[in-house]
Amino acid sequence: MIHLHDLKTGDLVLAKFEEQLSEGPVLQIDRELGQACVLVGEQENWYEPADLFPIPLTVEQLLKLKFKKAEETTINGAAETYVRGPFSVTLQNGSDPHTILHYRDETRNIAGHLMVHQLQNHYHGMTLIHLE
C-alpha cells in the first residue's frame, strides 16, 4: 500500500485490479476522495490506496528509466552506480543497504532500499524535472 501523500502525478506504481498487479503512471490524485487515477495500458482507473503498491528500485527499473551503468564500482563490486546525465544513483547492497543519489553539488544518502516513486520524487526535488 502507498499513502496518497507520498505520490505525485507521473509516479510509477503497481495497481491491483481483480487480484492482478499492473504497472502504470499516476495521472491524477484526488485527496478529498482518497483515490489516485492510474493509467494501466490504455485505460485510466481510480484506485484506493489499499490497491496501490510501490515498485522496488532494481537495475531493471533503472534501465527502464533510461539510466546507464557507470564504469566504476566500489568495494569489491558491492555497489553499482547508474547515471542519467549529471544525475547518479549508487545502489549499495550487503548488510547495510542504502542508496546514494548525487546531482551536481547535492548528495542524498538514503538508508534501506528505495522504491521507484521515491526515486522519481527525489529526482524531481534535486533537478526540478520529473523522471519518466
Side-chain angles (χ1 to χ4, degrees):
M1 181 175 120
I2 298 178
H3 297 286
L4 290 182
H5 66 270
D6 292 335
L7 290 178
K8 293 186 172 124
T9 301
D11 285 352
L12 294 173
V13 296
L14 292 173
K16 183 169 95 174
F17 181 71
E18 295 182 353
E19 301 306 314
Q20 274 203 299
L21 292 175
S22 300
E23 184 177 317
V26 173
L27 299 178
Q28 234 180 325
I29 300 168
D30 188 330
R31 299 197 193 283
E32 283 184 30
L33 293 176
Q35 295 181 331
C37 182
V38 178
L39 178 65
V40 175
E42 294 184 15
Q43 188 162 351
E44 300 174 12
N45 290 309
W46 288 92
Y47 295 91
E48 303 283 331
D51 295 323
L52 298 174
F53 301 92
I55 301 169
L57 184 62
T58 62
V59 171
E60 292 79 21
Q61 289 295 329
L62 284 168
L63 295 175
K64 281 174 67 175
L65 291 169
K66 300 179 184 147
F67 280 84
K68 293 184 168 89
K69 186 170 183 174
E71 296 291 322
E72 72 272 356
T73 59
T74 60
I75 313 172
N76 299 327
E80 294 181 316
T81 300
Y82 294 84
V83 296
R84 179 174 169 167
F87 192 94
S88 69
V89 177
T90 301
L91 302 174
Q92 180 78 42
N93 296 314
S95 61
D96 181 27
H98 61 276
T99 305
I100 300 168
L101 307 177
H102 183 76
Y103 177 71
R104 297 189 178 164
D105 60 346
E106 184 177 357
T107 299
R108 297 181 184 181
N109 194 342
I110 301 156
H113 297 286
L114 268 184
M115 300 296 158
V116 171
H117 73 281
Q118 293 170 324
L119 171 64
Q120 288 177 295
N121 293 337
H122 281 289
Y123 187 94
H124 183 265
M126 294 168 81
T127 66
L128 302 179
I129 299 169
H130 190 73
L131 177 62
E132 296 183 46

